[in-house]
Amino acid sequence: MTTLLFTRRFLAESARTPVNLLVLILVPVVFVVVAARPLADAAELLGGPGGPAVQTATAGWAAGFIAAIAMYFQIRAARAADRRLVLAGLAPARLVAARMATGLALALIATVAALLALTARTGIGDDPGRVLAGTLMYAVIYLAIGALIGTLVTSPVNGTVLVLFVWILDVFFGPVLGAADRPVTRVLPTHFVTLWMVDLPSRHSGRIGDLGWTLAWAVTAMVISWTVITLTSRTARTRHRTRPGSAADQMSAGVRMGLREAARNRVLWVLIIAVPVVFVLLAVATTPQESTTLTVRENGRTLPQQAWLPDIHGGTMAPIAIASLATLAGLFTVLDARSGDRRLALAGFRPLTLLASRLAVIALGALVATAASLAVTATVFDARQWDLYIAASVLIALTYALVGVLLGRLFGRVGGVLIAFLLPFIDLGIEQSPMLRSAPPDWAHALPGFGAGRVLIDAALTPTFDETGPLLIALAWLAALTTAAAVMFRRTATTPR
């Protein structure tokens, strides 16, 4: 009875976390309903099975991500509470059993949400038992990942970023979106689960078989979850961090303070190195050795052009890395400085100077993200117009840095981080990608990356500039986002608590 009571309480606590509800709706819709077909096309292009296999695997991807985020927030919230419960006399074994039961309930909820989306999209297929079991094992494995990160990382933003990073690495370099026989992918947590779920024999699983390795991963995940949940009863240490002159002095001080605050976010700096490597170098390394036909504009005409995939894949992946990093830089800069900006305004900081200093820090963050991504890209890709390619990359970075500012205000830290990865992926990775479609659909013209993305593709693949219209659209987006950020900043800095 005690275990059931605490399980119900823990589930109610999870339901009160807004991010869990956001993820429960957003992730199945984005990856199972919206992105399944483009991902299947991308898989065929990159040497994977494509078609129904990818669309089936999206249910597992969605369930795994939902379970990891839900488990992360459960573990993070449980640090102090679990210790108090044990000190009050609750048997540790019962506490762990209640947490495990809650985790399994979260896995079931994630599985149901993903399968409902898959049913609405394509149907479960000819072997529903295999799809159901595979989706559930995805969720169980990612429960362990969420629990482990919840124990190691206390910041919800950093924890969510790490969950996203592991998930992206697992999904986009797994056996369905690429060739299933790459040795490097066998260490990914859902490699064998994916192959078994879509009925794609690996031929490298030995005598134990794909199902045996799948069950081994699931059992190992349960053991890790049990161990991690046991550790949450230990004491968690927390740290709480809590200086007018001329406009030039204030500007200088504001920029220094903003850079100092950004320097404390170690996860962001790690991502500035890791994201380009994952998005660009690994993408090129796993690209099949074959050619494809792209549609480009040259001298005012739309023409087909043959391209060697390994030569161009890195150049088309770079804007996704740039946009994701710049969005995070803008989001973190504004949210980390919000309470400080109110105090600075009360202390006599000029509003325009304070705004200019924050925008300068955001622009510097976007430029650092661009420089890091282009440094990696230049090792595997040679743009036809490097000057214009760099300018378009900077334009993408500034645009998405300002998008990050608005996302932080609208969705908060954790929700903003989730959308900071999803929006560039949908915009630049799917809808604007020249490798997946000859031209963006009409509705994608309204996305923030359309104008700058078209300029970047033109610079990457053609020797002359032919995208004046998209360039003007990109500049209009930049002006509009700057205005919106200024209005939002004024309200934030002047509104008392």
Side-chain angles (χ1 to χ4, degrees):
M1 291 297 294
T2 304
T3 301
L4 291 176
L5 174 62
F6 277 102
T7 300
R8 290 198 301 268
R9 296 294 187 185
F10 295 156
L11 286 172
E13 182 181 7
S14 296
R16 288 195 293 267
T17 303
V19 175
N20 289 338
L21 299 178
L22 175 65
V23 168
L24 188 63
I25 298 172
L26 184 62
V27 171
V29 170
V30 169
F31 283 96
V32 182
V33 178
V34 176
R37 173 53 64 183
L39 287 173
D41 296 339
E44 292 181 357
L45 185 66
L46 298 174
V54 174
Q55 299 186 51
T56 299
T58 56
W61 299 342
F65 186 76
I66 295 168
I69 290 294
M71 195 63 176
Y72 169 79
F73 281 101
Q74 185 194 177
I75 293 300
R76 179 179 170 271
R79 284 176 171 269
D82 287 356
R83 181 174 179 272
R84 291 194 295 268
L85 287 171
V86 172
L87 291 173
L90 180 64
R94 290 189 175 184
L95 176 62
V96 175
R99 287 292 180 193
M100 287 295 294
T102 305
L104 291 174
L106 293 173
L108 288 173
I109 293 171
T111 300
V112 170
L115 291 177
L116 286 176
L118 180 63
T119 302
R121 178 67 173 82
T122 61
I124 296 182
D126 298 331
D127 194 348
R130 183 187 292 260
V131 175
L132 192 154
T135 305
L136 181 59
M137 281 188 281
Y138 258 100
V140 169
I141 290 171
Y142 269 90
L143 281 177
I145 293 173
L148 184 60
I149 294 175
T151 300
L152 300 175
V153 182
T154 58
S155 167
V157 174
N158 294 345
T160 304
V161 168
L162 287 179
V163 170
L164 271 168
F165 187 73
V166 172
W167 183 82
I168 288 172
L169 188 66
D170 186 21
V171 168
F172 290 94
F173 296 97
V176 170
L177 285 183
D181 56 354
R182 298 191 188 106
V184 69
T185 65
R186 300 175 194 177
V187 300
L188 297 176
T190 60
H191 174 84
F192 290 100
V193 179
T194 303
L195 292 173
W196 180 78
M197 179 179 175
V198 302
D199 197 16
L200 185 66
S202 66
R203 299 185 181 89
H204 56 249
S205 57
R207 297 178 63 182
I208 190 173
D210 291 334
L211 178 58
W213 281 110
T214 298
L215 294 174
W217 270 101
V219 171
T220 301
M222 295 293 290
V223 173
I224 292 174
S225 298
W226 183 279
T227 304
V228 166
I229 292 170
T230 302
L231 295 175
T232 57
S233 61
R234 295 182 179 178
T235 303
R237 296 181 181 179
T238 58
R239 295 181 180 180
H240 299 280
R241 303 172 185 169
T242 16
R243 220 179 130 187
S246 67
D249 291 338
Q250 291 186 351
M251 178 73 177
S252 176
V255 171
R256 288 198 308 271
M257 293 168 63
L259 292 177
R260 188 180 301 117
E261 186 67 32
R264 296 191 183 106
N265 195 333
R266 295 182 180 88
V267 169
L268 179 59
W269 295 106
V270 171
L271 288 175
I272 284 177
I273 299 173
V275 168
V277 171
V278 170
F279 278 72
V280 179
L281 294 187
L282 284 181
V284 173
T286 57
T287 301
Q289 302 289 315
E290 59 185 50
S291 61
T292 188
T293 301
L294 305 177
T295 301
V296 299
R297 286 186 59 82
E298 187 64 21
N299 297 322
R301 300 169 57 196
T302 301
L303 303 171
Q305 176 176 304
Q306 284 291 114
W308 187 244
L309 273 177
D311 291 341
I312 66 167
H313 196 189
T316 59
M317 290 295 290
I320 309 174
I322 291 170
S324 299
L325 290 172
T327 308
L328 291 174
L331 186 147
F332 288 153
T333 298
V334 169
L335 289 181
D336 290 343
R338 183 163 54 182
S339 60
D341 288 345
R342 292 193 183 103
R343 293 193 294 269
L344 289 172
L346 291 173
F349 240 76
R350 296 173 178 84
L352 288 179
T353 304
L354 187 56
L355 171 62
S357 66
R358 289 295 172 243
L359 291 179
V361 172
I362 292 167
L364 286 172
L367 292 175
V368 170
T370 304
S373 298
L374 291 181
V376 174
T377 303
T379 65
V380 294
F381 175 72
D382 187 17
R384 299 295 299 273
Q385 305 175 71
W386 267 113
D387 53 348
L388 189 59
Y389 186 87
I390 293 172
S393 299
V394 171
L395 193 53
I396 289 174
L398 294 175
T399 299
Y400 267 95
L402 292 168
V403 169
V405 172
L406 301 179
L407 290 178
R409 175 64 174 172
L410 294 174
F411 297 101
R413 287 179 177 272
V414 180
V417 167
L418 293 174
I419 300 176
F421 275 93
L422 292 177
L423 183 57
F425 166 72
I426 294 172
D427 184 3
L428 298 166
I430 294 181
E431 302 305 333
Q432 316 294 349
S433 174
M435 298 175 64
L436 299 181
R437 57 185 81 242
S438 59
D442 292 340
W443 72 270
H445 292 202
L447 294 173
F450 169 74
R454 301 311 299 174
V455 174
L456 183 138
I457 292 168
D458 184 69
L461 303 177
T462 67
T464 59
F465 176 62
D466 292 274
E467 298 288 0
T468 303
L471 176 60
L472 295 176
I473 293 174
L475 294 175
W477 263 102
L478 190 61
L481 289 169
T482 302
T483 302
V487 172
M488 182 214 71
F489 177 85
R490 182 177 178 84
R491 290 178 179 177
T492 301
T494 58
T495 300
R497 291 188 177 185

